[in-house]
Amino acid sequence: MQNPAQAATAQTQAPQTPPVPGRTGMPVVVRIQDIIDKVRSIQHDADTTLLQRAYVFAAQAHAGQVRLSGEPYLSHPLAVAYILADMRMDEATIASGLLHDTVEDTDTTVEDIEKLFGKDVAQIVDGVSKISLMKFESKEEAQAESIRKMILAMAEDIRVLMVKLADRLHNMRTLEFQKPHKQMRIAQETMDIYVPLANRLGLHRIKLELEDLSFMYLKPDIYVQMSDWLDRNFAQDQQYIQRIRSELRTMLDEAGIHGEILGRIKHKYSIYKKMLQQNLTLDQVHDILAFRVIVNEVKSCYTVLGLAHSVWKPVQGRFKDYISMPKANMYQSLHTTVVGPEGERFEIQIRTWEMDRMAEHGVASHWHYKENGRIAAKNVAQFAWLHELLDWQKQESNSKEFMHSLRFDMFKDEIYVFTPRGDVLELPEGATPVDFAFMIHSKVGAQTSGAKVNGKLVPINTRLRSGDSVEIITDPSRHPSRDWLKFIKTAKARTYINNYIRTEERSRSITLGKEMLEKQGRRMGINFLKLKEAEIEELAEELKFKSAEEMYSAVGYARLTPRKVLNRLSPKSEEVAAPTPETAKPETDEPRKSEGVIITGVDDVLVRFAGCCNPIPGDHIVGYISRGRGITVHTSDCINVPNMEPERLIPVYWEGHAGRPYPSRINIVADNQPGVLAAIATVLAENKINIDSGQIRSQVDGKTIMDFTVEVTDVAHLYQTIDVIHKLDHIVEVTRFSGGAE
């Protein structure tokens, strides 16, 4: 298996028939009776009249509609409703699952839903529906606004999110029928937004399945290799699982503890994350087995832990007590990793039945069918994270920054630290004293000058750990620094600092913009200083700015060139010199083509391709305005993009690249055998791919690693060749490599 640094950035199109992660026992074709049976298996006396009426309405509303798979569209809401029933949701939520697409995809209105099915169902359906009638400047803005609406709706009734998660889960299960570029986009959005939300709600099974499904489409080559590796070792792993279960059973029986013992192979994405975090190859990952011991009482949990540690050596630093300090989603369990027989590491999770129910069903554990009422997130203590999310989403108007912060902060693993008074604050993993200060109050964060952790002075970029006691030292003369953005981990801190920097830099950008216009004006024979204020305001309006200051700021930030402004002035100004070919050059608002890409919003600019990710035609790309260096084109998933200033990212598109060679890097792992290199070179030559440069390294395990920079015409050209190379004898794996600092 490849090195994680390469695995993290490997990208390819989805395989034609990828192995699908395990599902939750849902029928292949769901009928309304399956849903009713599932509901009644949980509550025998449930009134399913609402579900039957919702089914009839949905069937009529979606009549004649077909999914990409060729199935009747009704199969989708039926599947969503079954998932909700399996999550133990109430009838109103399950009915909303049946009706969730009627407002968006049929002539049905929210008012129709409320009249026929009640206010609760109508509000849930409305909260789930996309903002399809509004116009946005970009897909990212549309996505951000849709997520905003969902956040506001789920703050009032968290069942909105439950339906949305069930909807996304079924769409991910049937993603194979979408085009490859849509598969990538939907899978990435799922990993960025819906997986963390499922985790926050404690929906463990949903989270794991969404992770594996997203992983399958985002890293299909790695996913397939991992599946093959696990399949080859399946029989051996199953034997080991049975052995450990038997030993645990003996321990419990001798101690007189009643309990259930489960064993499994960890999910593929969790194994992949471990590879990345510990810089391991798949052959080096040993703790891929996990066991769960479920007992009746809390004291038995600690007894079992002691028994396990007395027989198997615990791995230092791998014990976590989530019983005494539960996670934010109320998850409770003891986790320990031990070294078992034959030196194999494995994880043991120990919990009570109630804890297991919470771990499996999460927030859904709050519902009982007899309640049939909404639960507002603002009334449930475990949704403190949602309160923070609501606060900063109101403050952040920029859609790109909102989505960046959402991915960057809200959904990281959490730590728990203490204030000097002993209050507990939840922070994302890796948070610093500056993040802590902003959680106390924005003013405290802005004036942070130092910090004490556990009574000792530390740098303000120190990574905090669970259990730390933190004290902030403030200075009224201190202001936020751009450097803080390099290490902070919370959206609240990032939003405040960015707003402060934008406010401070706005005045500087306005001044710089004026200077640039005056300087370029002199070159073009235009005396910009003599223009009247009304003329400048009119010019700004023509260029779609609300004011002259906004126009100056855009020029100062390099989002608009001085020439574009001054070319509009030329025919109006009396100070213009005699027209020259340069000044008479016609101006156009059309996107400018340059270097094989279309750039929107900027003209007369140098374009170059980032060396960190080596974008090639077919990749999703984004442009970054580099002061003094023009536009740098990156792949959208380049590891450097999340750290860039959102306001300097612009949309770019491929065009006019036919036949032109672009550099790309491939990594090949092969057995160290004669003729392998010659076979690879032959394949590259037959596919008309030139090798620009390369490195070859022999490993102690008898493998050879080859890194080549090759010239290809587009993504399809590259991956067709990778597939051919992969079929050669003695080839272990072939992946595209892109990553690292530019």
Side-chain angles (χ1 to χ4, degrees), residues 558 606 625-631 648:
L606 173 68
I625 300 173
S626 307
R627 294 191 180 99
R629 302 173 69 188
I631 305 295
R648 291 167 66 183

Side-chain angles (χ1 to χ4, degrees), residues 8-9 33 78 125 160 164 167 189 219 226 256-257 285 305-306 310 333 467 528 587 593 599 602 648 668-669 692 705:
T9 52
Q33 190 60 46
L78 279 167
V125 171
V160 169
K164 192 68 178 178
D167 174 49
E189 181 183 73
K219 308 289 181 184
M226 186 175 291
I257 297 174
V285 178
L305 177 70
S310 68
S333 184
F528 192 79
E587 181 68 19
K593 296 181 184 179
I599 308 162
V602 179
R648 291 167 66 183
I668 303 172
V669 179
D692 184 66
I705 298 177

Side-chain angles (χ1 to χ4, degrees), residues 369-474:
Y369 288 100
K370 61 183 181 182
E371 292 178 357
N372 277 327
R374 88 166 72 179
I375 292 185
K378 61 186 177 183
N379 297 328
V380 182
Q382 77 185 78
F383 297 123
W385 59 273
L386 183 54
H387 305 163
E388 289 294 328
L389 187 60
L390 286 167
D391 287 342
W392 63 258
Q393 74 90 21
K394 293 174 184 175
Q395 299 172 24
E396 185 53 71
S397 59
N398 182 282
S399 296
K400 288 183 178 180
E401 182 63 23
F402 170 72
M403 292 304 295
H404 175 72
S405 295
L406 194 64
R407 296 184 178 108
F408 179 82
D409 164 50
M410 284 304 296
F411 307 129
K412 286 183 175 290
D413 290 337
E414 58 279 341
I415 62 171
Y416 302 91
V417 296
F418 296 91
T419 68
R421 295 189 304 177
D423 296 329
V424 179
L425 288 185
E426 176 195 333
L427 292 169
E429 188 176 34
T432 67
V434 174
D435 297 294
F436 176 90
F438 274 101
M439 290 295 289
I440 298 296
H441 195 279
S442 297
K443 185 176 180 180
V444 175
Q447 297 179 358
T448 298
S449 62
K452 289 183 179 180
V453 175
N454 303 324
K456 297 181 180 179
L457 281 171
V458 298
I460 60 174
N461 63 348
T462 300
R463 290 169 62 97
L464 300 175
R465 298 181 179 181
S466 280
D468 284 344
S469 179
V470 185
E471 180 182 350
I472 299 299
I473 302 170
T474 60

Side-chain angles (χ1 to χ4, degrees), residues 296-545:
N296 295 329
E297 300 174 302
V298 172
K299 67 178 182 180
S300 297
C301 294
Y302 291 95
T303 302
V304 173
L305 177 70
L307 291 172
H309 283 181
S310 68
V311 175
W312 300 307
K313 182 180 179 181
V315 177
Q316 188 174 5
R318 297 297 300 276
F319 168 66
K320 294 180 180 178
D321 185 349
Y322 294 120
I323 292 181
S324 61
M325 188 171 286
K327 289 187 175 184
N329 59 19
M330 304 307 292
Y331 175 87
Q332 288 184 288
S333 184
L334 298 178
H335 288 196
T336 186
T337 299
V338 299
V339 180
E342 301 171 17
E344 285 292 331
R345 294 186 178 191
F346 55 86
E347 183 182 46
I348 305 175
Q349 300 173 0
I350 310 167
R351 61 182 70 149
T352 65
W353 288 102
E354 177 62 24
M355 294 173 190
D356 190 64
R357 185 175 67 86
M358 177 63 75
E360 288 299 305
H361 299 291
V363 69
S365 299
H366 285 289
W367 275 276
H368 302 285
Y369 288 100
K370 61 183 181 182
E371 292 178 357
N372 277 327
R374 88 166 72 179
I375 292 185
K378 61 186 177 183
N379 297 328
V380 182
Q382 77 185 78
F383 297 123
W385 59 273
L386 183 54
H387 305 163
E388 289 294 328
L389 187 60
L390 286 167
D391 287 342
W392 63 258
Q393 74 90 21
K394 293 174 184 175
Q395 299 172 24
E396 185 53 71
S397 59
N398 182 282
S399 296
K400 288 183 178 180
E401 182 63 23
F402 170 72
M403 292 304 295
H404 175 72
S405 295
L406 194 64
R407 296 184 178 108
F408 179 82
D409 164 50
M410 284 304 296
F411 307 129
K412 286 183 175 290
D413 290 337
E414 58 279 341
I415 62 171
Y416 302 91
V417 296
F418 296 91
T419 68
R421 295 189 304 177
D423 296 329
V424 179
L425 288 185
E426 176 195 333
L427 292 169
E429 188 176 34
T432 67
V434 174
D435 297 294
F436 176 90
F438 274 101
M439 290 295 289
I440 298 296
H441 195 279
S442 297
K443 185 176 180 180
V444 175
Q447 297 179 358
T448 298
S449 62
K452 289 183 179 180
V453 175
N454 303 324
K456 297 181 180 179
L457 281 171
V458 298
I460 60 174
N461 63 348
T462 300
R463 290 169 62 97
L464 300 175
R465 298 181 179 181
S466 280
D468 284 344
S469 179
V470 185
E471 180 182 350
I472 299 299
I473 302 170
T474 60
D475 180 353
S477 64
R478 186 69 184 264
H479 300 290
S481 166
R482 181 182 291 276
D483 290 338
W484 292 3
L485 294 173
K486 297 176 182 177
F487 58 77
I488 58 165
K489 299 297 181 184
T490 57
K492 185 173 184 178
R494 177 170 292 273
T495 299
Y496 185 95
I497 295 167
N498 275 327
N499 286 339
Y500 176 83
I501 291 172
R502 280 197 288 265
T503 301
E504 290 297 303
E505 288 191 346
R506 178 177 169 79
S507 60
R508 291 199 294 269
S509 67
I510 291 172
T511 301
L512 178 60
K514 287 181 179 178
E515 292 175 356
M516 292 170 68
L517 286 167
E518 291 167 11
K519 184 177 180 180
Q520 183 64 33
R522 289 194 295 271
R523 293 175 182 166
M524 298 174 63
I526 299 174
N527 191 336
F528 192 79
L529 293 174
K530 288 190 176 182
L531 292 174
K532 296 178 181 179
E533 185 177 340
E535 292 179 287
I536 298 175
E537 291 289 347
E538 182 182 350
L539 175 62
E541 186 176 348
E542 286 182 19
L543 291 168
K544 311 300 182 186
F545 291 103

